[in-house]
Amino acid sequence: MTALTDVLDTLASRADDSLADLQAFAAIPSVSAVPAHAQDMERACRWLMERLQAAGPLTTERWATPGHPAVYAEWLGAPGQPTMLVYGHYDVQPPDPLDEWQSPPFTPTVRDGRVYGRGVSDDKGPLLIAVQAIGAWFSVTGRLPVNVKLLFEGEEEVGSRHLPDLVRANADRLRADFVLSADGGMWSAEHPSLTVRARGLTALEFTVTGPATDLHSGRHGGSVHNPLHAISELVAGLHDRAGRVTVDGFYDGVQDRPPHERDAVRRLPFHDDAYLAQTGAPAVHGEAGYSTLERQWDRPTLEVNGLWGGYTGEGSKTVLPSRAHAKLSARLVPGQDPDRVRTLIETHLRTHTPPGVTLDLREAAHGARAYAVPHDLPGLQVARDVLTDLYGQPPLEVGMGGSIPILQTFQEVLGLHTVFFSFAVGDEDIHAPNEFFRLHRIQEGQRAWASYLARLARPEDHPA
Amino acid sequence: MTALTDVLDTLASRADDSLADLQAFAAIPSVSAVPAHAQDMERACRWLMERLQAAGPLTTERWATPGHPAVYAEWLGAPGQPTMLVYGHYDVQPPDPLDEWQSPPFTPTVRDGRVYGRGVSDDKGPLLIAVQAIGAWFSVTGRLPVNVKLLFEGEEEVGSRHLPDLVRANADRLRADFVLSADGGMWSAEHPSLTVRARGLTALEFTVTGPATDLHSGRHGGSVHNPLHAISELVAGLHDRAGRVTVDGFYDGVQDRPPHERDAVRRLPFHDDAYLAQTGAPAVHGEAGYSTLERQWDRPTLEVNGLWGGYTGEGSKTVLPSRAHAKLSARLVPGQDPDRVRTLIETHLRTHTPPGVTLDLREAAHGARAYAVPHDLPGLQVARDVLTDLYGQPPLEVGMGGSIPILQTFQEVLGLHTVFFSFAVGDEDIHAPNEFFRLHRIQEGQRAWASYLARLARPEDHPA
C-alpha cells in the first residue's frame, strides 16, 4: 500500500491547490440552459481539457455535439485490469434569483469551511475530485492501478439531450466494466451513503391563451376568462386533497416496495423536524400514506417549476393578460415510461382546459426512466469497502429523488451499470441560491477516489 | 356664434400641430409605477406646464406631492359664469410586454389614421384635446366663455395615492361647479356615449412562502408543499364554477339594477361575437345569469393581474421555489366598500392558505368606491347637447368597467360631481401593447370641448 499512502500524502499536500482549482473552474458561468452563455460553455470545456492534460498522460478529446461539447479523456495503460468509465458534467444551473445570493454566484467564496458558488456541488467540485485523485496517482507512480475513461458532458442540466447520440456514436471507445459517476451526492454529511436508486424524469411546458392581447382588467375583467385564473385551475387540479396526482393512469405500473424494505427506509436516521429545520418549510406535505423519504425516493411526483403571467413588476397594473405559462416536471419510479407519462399529463391538461382559453403544449426535456443498481455489482462493493474504511461505518444504501438521465443511456447503449460516488451532500442548495460545497469533503473525496482506484485493481497487479 | 365658429376654424387649421403636440408629449415615458422613470415624470410635468403657458394667460403651478407632482392651471376672468374643474393625468402605464409592440411604445407612430404609443389614449391625447380647445379660444377671443381650472395629476396609474391629500389641502383653490374629466373614454367609435357610472377598485398583493430557499424539485418534490401549487389552489378557489367570487360577504350590499334598466342595457348595440372578434378571446366567460355588458358595468369582479414564481427563463430548471407571488384587484359596484372588500379577500386568503406554506399580504393601491353621475346635472346636460350636435344622434348613457379613484375624492372633499368627456374609445388597447388613439377623434374632441365651453356659458355673457 506504499503507493497509495504516497498518493494520499500528495493529495493532502495539495489542499490549497485543489480549492484554487475549484474556484477557477466555478468562476466560469457555464450555464447550459441560457444561449447567452454559449461562450462560457466553450471556456469551461477548454479549461477542463487543459486541467485533464495537466493531471497526467491522458488522451484528451473535445467531442462536439449539436449542442454543447463533451470532454473525453482516457488512460488505458493497465492491460488485464478493469476499465471504469467516469461520468460528470461541467455545465451548471442558471443562478436566478440573483438577489438571494450572499456572494456572487460566479465568484466562488469561502465562508465557514464551505465554498459558495453556482456549480461547486453540482457538479464541478465532485468532478474535480476525480481528476485530482487521478492526477495524484500519475504524480506518484506515473500510471494508474486500473484503466480509466472519463466522459464529462456539458448538457446535464438541460436533460443531456445530445448525450445518447454521442454515446451511441462512440460506443466502442466507451466500452468499460461499469460507470463510476462523479455526479449524484450523498444523503447527509454525517452518514456516508451510496445511492442505489434514482427517480426518472419527464418535463413539459404549457401556455394558456385567452384574449389576443393584454386587456384592461377594469374594462374587461369578469367578461372574458383570465388566463391566470385558468392556469391556476389547471395547476390546482393536478393533485387531489390526499396529495395524489390526479392525471388518469399516472400511477399505472407503480408498486410499493416490499414491507421489509419500507421498514428499512423508516429506520433510517431521518427526522421530519430536522428536515423542516433544514429546508425552512413550515410543514411536510405530500402523498397520504407515505413517509417523507418514501415520497422522495419511491413515489412519483408532479411539480410545477415555474408559473408566470401578467404584470410582475413594481407597483400595480390592472391588466388581464393574454397569456399565462407554466413549466412542469414529473419524477418517475420503476414501472413508469417517461413518454407515456408525459402524454398522460398532456391529455389531462387538454381535457381540463376550460372554455374561454386555448392550450399550447411543448416537451421541455428528454425523459429518463427510473433506475436501480444491482446489489452485487463489483464496482458497488468496492465503493462500500472504501466508504467503510474512510468513515469507520458501512454506508447507508439510499434512494435519490432527482434524476440522472444518463443512467438510462449507459445501460441501454453500453450495457453498463452506474455506481454513484459523488462527495456532494443533499443539503448543499444545488439549483438554488447560495449553492455550497464542504471543504472537508474535497479531502475525503480525493482519498476515497484514490483508494477506489487501488481497490478496484486485481491482486496480481495491485500496487504493493 | 361667430366666436365659436372662428375657434373651430382655428382648431381645424392647427390639425398638424395638434398631432405633433401629442407625439411630443407621448414620447416622454412618464411611467408612474416604476421608480426608474422618476426623471421622465418630472420632464412630462414640465412639458405640460409649458404647454399650458403657451395656450394662453393661464396661471400655471406645479403642485408637489410626496410622490409625483400634479400640474394646476386656472383662468378666472369670466365673473358670473360657471367654473369648471378639468381633470386629467399625464402619467402612463408601464409598456410591458415590450416585444409585442409593433412600433416602440415611446415613439408615437402614425399608421392607418391612428397614432400608436403608450399613453396616447390614456390619457395624454384626451388631456391635450382640452388644452388645445382652450388654447384656440384664447387665440381667437383672448378669453374663455367660462371660468376654467385644470388639474392634471401624475399618479392616476398608481391609484392617485396622493391626490386626496392634495385636493384636501387646496380645496379652496379647486372650488368649482362640477368636474369635467378628460380621462375616461367612450364606449365605441361608432356610437357617441357618456359614461354615467364607474366601478370602484380595491387591490392587494400576496406572497406564498414554502421552504426558506429554492429547493431541487427532484430531491424535495413531493415532500414539502410547492408554493406554486399552493398559490394556484388559492387563485383557483377565488371563483366557483358559476363564475361567482367565493369570498365570504363579497356580494353583500350588491343589488341588481331594476328590470327596465337591465332591459335597456340588453338593447344596446353590443354583440358578443363582435366583442370576441375585438378581443380575440375564444369565448365569453363570467358570472352566470348576466350579459357581457352587465358583467363589465354592473357586477363586481375579482381578477388576478400578475402571478409568478419559480424559473421563468429559457430552458428548464427543476426548482421547487421558495416563494410565489400574485397581484389581485377587485372592481366594485354601488353598495361595496373598498376597505371592507379588501379585508374580506384577505380573510379568505388567510383562511384558505394550506398548511405547509405561509401567507404575506400587502395593500397594493388605495381603494375607490363605485360612482354614478346624477341624471340632471347641468354639466351632463351640456355634454348630451354637444355630442348630439356633433354626431347627429343622442349619446348612449353607459357604465364603465374601470375605475377612476378621483371621482370619490372630488365628491367627498369638494362635493363635486364629475362628467366624463374623453374622446378615447374603449378598444384602444390602453394598459396593453399597441395602445392607439384615432386621429379623427382629436378633431372631434377639440370641436366638442370648444363647443362645450360656449354652451356652458350663461346666455347674458354668451358669445354671440
Side-chain angles (χ1 to χ4, degrees), chain A residues 165-197:
Chain A
D165 282 349
L166 193 73
V167 170
R168 221 168 277 127
N170 293 281
D172 281 348
R173 299 288 303 280
L174 293 169
R175 206 174 294 158
D177 294 297
F178 70 103
V179 178
L180 192 64
S181 175
D183 193 23
M186 288 197 204
W187 181 63
S188 87
E190 288 70 39
H191 303 276
S193 61
L194 283 168
T195 304
V196 294
R197 289 181 297 278

Short mmCIF file of all heavy atoms in Angstrom, two decimals, chain A residues 165-197:
data_model
loop_
_atom_site.label_atom_id
_atom_site.label_comp_id
_atom_site.label_asym_id
_atom_site.label_seq_id
_atom_site.Cartn_x
_atom_site.Cartn_y
_atom_site.Cartn_z
N ASP A 165 -26.99 10.18 -28.42
CA ASP A 165 -26.40 10.03 -29.75
C ASP A 165 -24.87 9.97 -29.67
O ASP A 165 -24.22 9.20 -30.40
CB ASP A 165 -26.81 11.22 -30.65
CG ASP A 165 -28.22 11.04 -31.17
OD1 ASP A 165 -28.77 9.93 -31.03
OD2 ASP A 165 -28.76 12.01 -31.72
N LEU A 166 -24.30 10.79 -28.80
CA LEU A 166 -22.85 10.83 -28.67
C LEU A 166 -22.33 9.49 -28.15
O LEU A 166 -21.32 8.96 -28.65
CB LEU A 166 -22.46 11.96 -27.71
CG LEU A 166 -20.98 12.34 -27.68
CD1 LEU A 166 -20.61 13.11 -28.94
CD2 LEU A 166 -20.66 13.19 -26.44
N VAL A 167 -23.00 8.94 -27.15
CA VAL A 167 -22.57 7.65 -26.60
C VAL A 167 -22.75 6.55 -27.64
O VAL A 167 -21.89 5.68 -27.80
CB VAL A 167 -23.37 7.35 -25.31
CG1 VAL A 167 -23.14 5.92 -24.84
CG2 VAL A 167 -23.00 8.33 -24.21
N ARG A 168 -23.86 6.61 -28.37
CA ARG A 168 -24.11 5.62 -29.41
C ARG A 168 -22.99 5.67 -30.46
O ARG A 168 -22.44 4.65 -30.86
CB ARG A 168 -25.47 5.91 -30.05
CG ARG A 168 -26.30 4.68 -30.33
CD ARG A 168 -27.72 5.05 -30.68
NE ARG A 168 -28.54 5.29 -29.50
CZ ARG A 168 -29.26 6.39 -29.28
NH1 ARG A 168 -29.29 7.37 -30.16
NH2 ARG A 168 -29.96 6.49 -28.18
N ALA A 169 -22.63 6.89 -30.90
CA ALA A 169 -21.63 7.04 -31.95
C ALA A 169 -20.24 6.61 -31.48
O ALA A 169 -19.39 6.25 -32.29
CB ALA A 169 -21.61 8.50 -32.41
N ASN A 170 -20.02 6.63 -30.16
CA ASN A 170 -18.69 6.32 -29.63
C ASN A 170 -18.72 5.09 -28.71
O ASN A 170 -17.90 4.97 -27.80
CB ASN A 170 -18.15 7.53 -28.85
CG ASN A 170 -17.87 8.71 -29.76
OD1 ASN A 170 -16.86 8.76 -30.44
ND2 ASN A 170 -18.81 9.65 -29.82
N ALA A 171 -19.68 4.21 -29.00
CA ALA A 171 -19.89 3.07 -28.10
C ALA A 171 -18.62 2.24 -27.95
O ALA A 171 -18.30 1.76 -26.85
CB ALA A 171 -21.05 2.22 -28.59
N ASP A 172 -17.85 2.06 -29.03
CA ASP A 172 -16.62 1.26 -28.95
C ASP A 172 -15.59 1.91 -28.05
O ASP A 172 -14.97 1.25 -27.21
CB ASP A 172 -16.03 1.06 -30.34
CG ASP A 172 -16.78 -0.04 -31.11
OD1 ASP A 172 -17.58 -0.77 -30.46
OD2 ASP A 172 -16.57 -0.15 -32.32
N ARG A 173 -15.41 3.22 -28.22
CA ARG A 173 -14.43 3.94 -27.39
C ARG A 173 -14.80 3.87 -25.91
O ARG A 173 -13.93 3.87 -25.04
CB ARG A 173 -14.35 5.42 -27.79
CG ARG A 173 -13.91 5.73 -29.20
CD ARG A 173 -12.42 5.45 -29.40
NE ARG A 173 -11.52 6.17 -28.48
CZ ARG A 173 -11.16 7.45 -28.63
NH1 ARG A 173 -11.61 8.18 -29.63
NH2 ARG A 173 -10.32 8.00 -27.79
N LEU A 174 -16.12 3.85 -25.63
CA LEU A 174 -16.59 3.98 -24.25
C LEU A 174 -16.73 2.63 -23.55
O LEU A 174 -17.14 2.57 -22.39
CB LEU A 174 -17.94 4.73 -24.22
CG LEU A 174 -17.86 6.20 -24.65
CD1 LEU A 174 -19.26 6.78 -24.85
CD2 LEU A 174 -17.09 7.02 -23.60
N ARG A 175 -16.38 1.54 -24.25
CA ARG A 175 -16.53 0.22 -23.64
C ARG A 175 -15.80 0.18 -22.28
O ARG A 175 -14.67 0.66 -22.16
CB ARG A 175 -15.95 -0.85 -24.58
CG ARG A 175 -16.58 -2.22 -24.38
CD ARG A 175 -16.07 -3.19 -25.44
NE ARG A 175 -16.53 -2.81 -26.79
CZ ARG A 175 -15.93 -3.20 -27.92
NH1 ARG A 175 -14.84 -3.96 -27.88
NH2 ARG A 175 -16.42 -2.85 -29.09
N ALA A 176 -16.47 -0.37 -21.26
CA ALA A 176 -15.88 -0.39 -19.91
C ALA A 176 -16.58 -1.47 -19.11
O ALA A 176 -17.48 -2.15 -19.62
CB ALA A 176 -16.06 0.97 -19.25
N ASP A 177 -16.16 -1.64 -17.84
CA ASP A 177 -16.81 -2.63 -17.00
C ASP A 177 -18.01 -2.05 -16.24
O ASP A 177 -18.94 -2.76 -15.92
CB ASP A 177 -15.79 -3.21 -16.02
CG ASP A 177 -14.72 -4.02 -16.74
OD1 ASP A 177 -15.10 -5.03 -17.37
OD2 ASP A 177 -13.54 -3.61 -16.74
N PHE A 178 -17.95 -0.78 -15.96
CA PHE A 178 -19.06 -0.11 -15.27
C PHE A 178 -18.77 1.38 -15.30
O PHE A 178 -17.68 1.82 -15.69
CB PHE A 178 -19.20 -0.61 -13.81
CG PHE A 178 -18.07 -0.17 -12.92
CD1 PHE A 178 -18.24 0.88 -12.01
CD2 PHE A 178 -16.83 -0.76 -13.00
CE1 PHE A 178 -17.20 1.30 -11.20
CE2 PHE A 178 -15.77 -0.34 -12.20
CZ PHE A 178 -15.96 0.69 -11.31
N VAL A 179 -19.75 2.15 -14.88
CA VAL A 179 -19.60 3.60 -14.81
C VAL A 179 -19.48 4.01 -13.35
O VAL A 179 -20.23 3.53 -12.50
CB VAL A 179 -20.81 4.32 -15.45
CG1 VAL A 179 -20.65 5.84 -15.32
CG2 VAL A 179 -20.98 3.90 -16.91
N LEU A 180 -18.48 4.87 -13.05
CA LEU A 180 -18.39 5.46 -11.71
C LEU A 180 -18.73 6.94 -11.88
O LEU A 180 -18.03 7.67 -12.58
CB LEU A 180 -16.98 5.29 -11.15
CG LEU A 180 -16.83 5.60 -9.65
CD1 LEU A 180 -17.64 4.62 -8.79
CD2 LEU A 180 -15.36 5.58 -9.23
N SER A 181 -19.84 7.34 -11.27
CA SER A 181 -20.33 8.70 -11.51
C SER A 181 -19.85 9.66 -10.44
O SER A 181 -20.05 9.43 -9.24
CB SER A 181 -21.86 8.71 -11.54
OG SER A 181 -22.30 10.05 -11.66
N ALA A 182 -19.25 10.77 -10.91
CA ALA A 182 -18.88 11.86 -10.00
C ALA A 182 -20.07 12.79 -9.79
O ALA A 182 -19.97 13.77 -9.06
CB ALA A 182 -17.70 12.63 -10.57
N ASP A 183 -21.19 12.51 -10.45
CA ASP A 183 -22.41 13.27 -10.22
C ASP A 183 -23.29 12.45 -9.30
O ASP A 183 -23.17 11.23 -9.22
CB ASP A 183 -23.13 13.53 -11.55
CG ASP A 183 -24.22 14.58 -11.42
OD1 ASP A 183 -24.16 15.40 -10.47
OD2 ASP A 183 -25.12 14.60 -12.26
N GLY A 184 -24.19 13.13 -8.60
CA GLY A 184 -25.07 12.44 -7.66
C GLY A 184 -24.93 13.15 -6.33
O GLY A 184 -25.08 14.37 -6.26
N GLY A 185 -24.62 12.43 -5.28
CA GLY A 185 -24.46 13.11 -3.99
C GLY A 185 -24.87 12.20 -2.87
O GLY A 185 -25.65 11.28 -3.05
N MET A 186 -24.29 12.45 -1.70
CA MET A 186 -24.64 11.62 -0.55
C MET A 186 -25.82 12.21 0.18
O MET A 186 -26.17 13.37 0.06
CB MET A 186 -23.46 11.46 0.38
CG MET A 186 -22.40 10.56 -0.24
SD MET A 186 -21.24 9.98 1.01
CE MET A 186 -19.82 9.65 -0.03
N TRP A 187 -26.38 11.37 0.99
CA TRP A 187 -27.66 11.66 1.58
C TRP A 187 -27.55 12.65 2.74
O TRP A 187 -28.41 13.47 2.95
CB TRP A 187 -28.23 10.31 2.04
CG TRP A 187 -29.53 10.41 2.65
CD1 TRP A 187 -30.69 10.84 2.06
CD2 TRP A 187 -29.85 10.09 3.98
NE1 TRP A 187 -31.70 10.78 2.95
CE2 TRP A 187 -31.21 10.33 4.14
CE3 TRP A 187 -29.12 9.59 5.06
CZ2 TRP A 187 -31.87 10.11 5.34
CZ3 TRP A 187 -29.77 9.37 6.25
CH2 TRP A 187 -31.13 9.64 6.38
N SER A 188 -26.46 12.57 3.50
CA SER A 188 -26.22 13.56 4.55
C SER A 188 -24.73 13.63 4.80
O SER A 188 -23.97 12.73 4.42
CB SER A 188 -26.97 13.19 5.84
OG SER A 188 -26.19 12.34 6.65
N ALA A 189 -24.29 14.72 5.44
CA ALA A 189 -22.86 14.89 5.71
C ALA A 189 -22.41 13.97 6.85
O ALA A 189 -21.23 13.66 6.96
CB ALA A 189 -22.56 16.36 6.06
N GLU A 190 -23.34 13.55 7.69
CA GLU A 190 -22.99 12.74 8.86
C GLU A 190 -22.91 11.25 8.56
O GLU A 190 -22.18 10.51 9.19
CB GLU A 190 -24.00 12.97 10.00
CG GLU A 190 -23.88 14.33 10.67
CD GLU A 190 -24.33 15.47 9.77
OE1 GLU A 190 -25.33 15.27 9.05
OE2 GLU A 190 -23.68 16.54 9.76
N HIS A 191 -23.72 10.80 7.60
CA HIS A 191 -23.82 9.37 7.34
C HIS A 191 -23.39 9.08 5.91
O HIS A 191 -24.10 9.44 4.98
CB HIS A 191 -25.26 8.89 7.55
CG HIS A 191 -25.76 9.19 8.93
ND1 HIS A 191 -25.53 8.38 10.00
CD2 HIS A 191 -26.47 10.24 9.40
CE1 HIS A 191 -26.07 8.90 11.09
NE2 HIS A 191 -26.66 10.04 10.75
N PRO A 192 -22.23 8.40 5.73
CA PRO A 192 -21.83 8.05 4.37
C PRO A 192 -22.93 7.20 3.74
O PRO A 192 -23.56 6.39 4.40
CB PRO A 192 -20.55 7.25 4.57
CG PRO A 192 -20.58 6.78 5.99
CD PRO A 192 -21.32 7.84 6.74
N SER A 193 -23.17 7.44 2.45
CA SER A 193 -24.26 6.70 1.80
C SER A 193 -23.91 6.42 0.35
O SER A 193 -23.07 7.09 -0.26
CB SER A 193 -25.56 7.50 1.88
OG SER A 193 -25.42 8.73 1.21
N LEU A 194 -24.55 5.40 -0.17
CA LEU A 194 -24.45 5.08 -1.59
C LEU A 194 -25.85 5.12 -2.17
O LEU A 194 -26.79 4.52 -1.62
CB LEU A 194 -23.86 3.68 -1.77
CG LEU A 194 -22.34 3.60 -1.58
CD1 LEU A 194 -21.90 2.14 -1.49
CD2 LEU A 194 -21.63 4.30 -2.75
N THR A 195 -26.00 5.82 -3.27
CA THR A 195 -27.30 5.92 -3.92
C THR A 195 -27.46 4.72 -4.85
O THR A 195 -26.65 4.54 -5.77
CB THR A 195 -27.39 7.22 -4.72
OG1 THR A 195 -27.11 8.30 -3.83
CG2 THR A 195 -28.76 7.39 -5.32
N VAL A 196 -28.47 3.92 -4.59
CA VAL A 196 -28.63 2.71 -5.39
C VAL A 196 -29.91 2.74 -6.22
O VAL A 196 -30.21 1.81 -6.95
CB VAL A 196 -28.61 1.46 -4.49
CG1 VAL A 196 -27.21 1.31 -3.86
CG2 VAL A 196 -29.68 1.53 -3.41
N ARG A 197 -30.68 3.83 -6.11
CA ARG A 197 -31.88 4.02 -6.92
C ARG A 197 -31.97 5.51 -7.27
O ARG A 197 -31.57 6.36 -6.47
CB ARG A 197 -33.16 3.67 -6.14
CG ARG A 197 -33.38 2.21 -5.85
CD ARG A 197 -34.68 2.01 -5.09
NE ARG A 197 -34.65 2.66 -3.78
CZ ARG A 197 -34.09 2.14 -2.70
NH1 ARG A 197 -33.51 0.95 -2.76
NH2 ARG A 197 -34.11 2.80 -1.56
#
